[in-house]
Amino acid sequence: MVSITKLFGSYGSNCKLDSFNDEMRFFAKMSILDWCGVAYAAKKEPVSKIVSEMVKEENGVNQARLISTGHTVSSRGAALANGATGHALDYDDTHFLFVGHPTSSALPAALALGEELDSSIEDILLAYMAGVEVSTRIGHILGYSHYNAGFHQTATSGSFGSTIVASKLLDLNEDQTINALGLVSTRASGIKSQFGTMGKPFHAGMAASNGIEAAKLSKLGFVSKEDGIECEQGFFLTHGWDKKIPPRAIENLGTDFLFPEIKYKFHACCHGLHSFLEALDEMKLENNFNPETIEEIAIETNPSWLKVCNIEEPKTGLESKFSYKLTAAMSIYGKDTSNLDTYSDEICFDDNLNNIRDKVRVIPNDNLSNTQSLISIKDGSSNVKNKHDLSDKIENNILETKIVNKSVSLLSETKSNQISKILNAPNENKVDALVDCLVS
């Protein structure tokens, strides 16, 4: 078997900014802008406050800022807290090959270590792009056998991506980068039983922090297993891997990029719900559904989602983000599923919504991919159906407009424009300028 640790370590160490094509750069900037808005909106979330308070209390050095409070802490602590903040709302980007959220683990590592090292935006763009491309490919290798075994790729695959980010910013050589990947293979962790709790966003912070830790230890001479990802009793073989390597995961590394298949959230809930919500939105444009006369809503979905976002009777706003039944009822009643405030504890106990919720059936369908849903609504004598596939391409100009609009709603137009200007002049700005926008 090809040495995955050496393959990706060599790539991460040797890739240059000019090796990334315009498409990769476009999606990198869109993902950073998207994450900045989501993270900024989550600064006052309980998980953000709690993790930030912890790293403040144990702080011994002043290297990078917490976006939640502006306090300066260690870069590893900032990555932990800012990573948890960026994933707190579960409104960040998703990759269906990665099977998780690549930006939430890679970018906090880049921002925190970039502040410590006084890096330019150009520096963190390079590190970020290298990191998310590696984590996407490793996530693709691990695939759904890893995910269905109970692991959360945002934490596991994400740790490898953040290690590439940190190794790149610390200017590790090829052997040091390979060693850092071997080391983080024994740190990468995160289990799906935490979904619906603060444990899920914490996974992103864990991954970001893990990467900085592994890279810094390697730079200091810490020695680890050079084939730690793929060796006997290594990461792959102990974490639900099906022993298959998809050709796309290792071929054309450095020339073709998988990361641009990234998908963005325009509903503030688990991405597993988005295809059916999009299908339902399309149906509502052509049908005037009366909640009082609806007899049944049937949602067909890939079975892999049933252990992820099928909480039947959510009791908290956070749990509501992982519920086919309640989000369907919310949409039928005209609740704005893109609005963060919609997902409240109170909405879980709305009698009208729960009346519709209990008429929803969620049906596993092996013939649907993990990006597809089929929904049918029986309303009196009519029975209307619609299908949606999240993998259908959105033209870049339309996608950019949607992301900018989302960013403005979360950040304000002034901050959104400011961040866009910084990203569009990467050789003229330092990472401090970007963090300034998130802290203030």
Side-chain angles (χ1 to χ4, degrees):
M1 183 176 72
V2 63
S3 174
I4 296 298
T5 316
K6 290 184 177 180
L7 175 70
F8 291 127
S10 176
Y11 168 73
S13 176
N14 295 303
C15 65
K16 306 297 182 186
L17 192 62
D18 60 9
S19 68
F20 292 95
N21 60 23
D22 289 343
E23 183 185 40
M24 185 70 180
R25 292 168 185 254
F26 169 79
F27 280 96
K29 290 178 181 178
M30 290 298 98
S31 288
I32 293 172
L33 178 61
D34 182 77
W35 184 90
C36 285
V38 172
Y40 184 82
K43 289 167 63 171
K44 295 183 180 180
E45 286 295 300
V47 67
S48 175
K49 291 181 178 180
I50 292 169
V51 181
S52 296
E53 188 62 31
M54 182 193 74
V55 297
K56 279 166 52 184
E57 288 180 356
E58 66 180 20
N59 184 48
V61 294
N62 298 318
Q63 296 172 330
R65 283 173 289 174
L66 301 173
I67 62 176
S68 60
T69 65
H71 286 88
T72 306
V73 297
S74 70
S75 57
R76 192 154 60 102
L80 179 68
N82 294 343
T85 298
H87 193 41
L89 298 174
D90 217 316
Y91 206 7
D92 44 317
D93 62 26
T94 300
H95 204 297
F96 289 101
L97 289 179
F98 176 100
V99 201
H101 306 264
T103 297
S104 282
S105 49
L107 188 59
L111 295 179
L113 195 53
E115 272 209 291
E116 177 187 345
L117 301 173
D118 196 30
S119 302
S120 68
I121 295 296
E122 196 168 68
D123 293 333
I124 70 161
L125 267 176
L126 169 58
Y128 168 81
M129 289 191 291
V132 293
E133 184 62 20
V134 166
S135 62
T136 299
R137 287 171 179 259
I138 289 178
H140 189 27
I141 295 171
L142 287 166
Y144 278 89
S145 62
H146 174 74
Y147 188 75
N148 291 337
F151 297 104
H152 185 202
Q153 261 100 314
T154 304
T156 57
S157 304
S159 289
F160 296 106
S162 68
T163 300
I164 293 295
V165 168
S167 298
K168 200 69 179 166
L169 289 172
L170 288 166
D171 197 27
L172 300 193
N173 63 33
E174 185 172 319
D175 288 341
Q176 289 172 320
T177 304
I178 291 168
N179 188 66
L181 287 176
L183 177 57
V184 86
S185 70
T186 201
R187 288 287 276 154
S189 182
I191 51 178
K192 284 162 52 187
S193 63
Q194 295 292 338
F195 285 12
T197 76
M198 293 182 187
K200 185 176 190 284
F202 189 59
H203 288 168
M206 287 163 47
S209 177
N210 285 343
I212 292 176
E213 178 185 273
K216 284 192 169 186
L217 285 171
S218 184
K219 189 176 181 70
L220 291 169
F222 196 101
V223 176
S224 183
K225 189 79 172 170
E226 66 177 12
D227 57 352
I229 298 176
E230 73 279 357
C231 68
E232 186 68 27
Q233 295 192 327
F235 186 84
F236 278 173
L237 291 173
T238 57
H239 285 73
W241 179 49
D242 64 6
K243 300 183 181 180
K244 298 175 183 177
I245 298 180
R248 288 189 72 200
I250 59 173
E251 291 177 353
N252 303 315
L253 181 61
T255 54
D256 293 341
F257 300 100
L258 302 190
F259 179 73
E261 295 179 30
I262 194 77
K263 301 300 177 186
Y264 300 96
K265 290 187 170 186
F266 301 109
H267 303 275
C269 55
C270 178
H271 223 151
L273 305 174
H274 285 217
S275 58
F276 105 80
L277 285 171
E278 291 290 332
L280 182 52
D281 281 347
E282 292 166 359
M283 295 169 76
K284 290 191 299 184
L285 292 175
E286 300 180 1
N287 299 273
N288 186 21
F289 295 116
N290 181 349
E292 295 182 2
T293 60
I294 289 177
E295 297 176 16
E296 181 184 74
I297 300 173
I299 301 169
E300 297 182 42
T301 186
N302 184 280
S304 64
W305 290 117
L306 298 186
K307 294 181 179 180
V308 179
C309 48
N310 193 31
I311 298 176
E312 296 194 354
E313 297 182 5
K315 300 294 190 297
T316 67
L318 187 54
E319 287 185 348
S320 74
K321 296 185 176 190
F322 296 86
S323 175
Y324 279 103
K325 292 188 172 187
L326 186 58
T327 53
M330 289 158 59
S331 180
I332 287 294
Y333 265 97
K335 305 295 183 182
D336 183 0
T337 54
S338 71
N339 189 325
L340 298 169
D341 294 334
T342 299
Y343 303 86
S344 63
D345 293 353
E346 290 76 19
I347 206 166
C348 299
F349 300 97
D350 184 301
D351 290 339
N352 289 327
L353 291 179
N354 288 340
N355 182 51
I356 292 292
R357 180 200 70 188
D358 294 339
K359 295 179 181 179
V360 177
R361 287 194 303 132
V362 183
I363 304 166
N365 185 337
D366 288 311
N367 294 319
L368 295 174
S369 75
N370 61 325
T371 62
Q372 296 174 324
S373 286
L374 176 64
I375 182 170
S376 61
I377 297 179
K378 187 176 181 182
D379 184 3
S381 60
S382 66
N383 191 359
V384 293
K385 298 182 179 182
N386 193 30
K387 184 178 181 180
H388 188 87
D389 190 340
L390 293 176
S391 68
D392 292 343
K393 179 161 178 65
I394 302 174
E395 294 301 319
N396 285 359
N397 61 327
I398 297 174
L399 180 65
E400 183 171 10
T401 298
K402 289 170 74 73
I403 290 175
V404 168
N405 288 341
K406 175 182 172 182
S407 172
V408 168
S409 72
L410 297 172
L411 284 161
S412 80
E413 186 171 2
T414 299
K415 280 188 181 292
S416 178
N417 289 341
Q418 191 175 2
I419 290 172
S420 292
K421 287 179 181 178
I422 291 169
L423 294 175
N424 287 328
N427 60 339
E428 299 174 11
N429 290 285
K430 295 291 185 74
V431 68
D432 281 355
L434 186 53
V435 179
D436 284 343
C437 295
L438 299 175
V439 168
S440 62

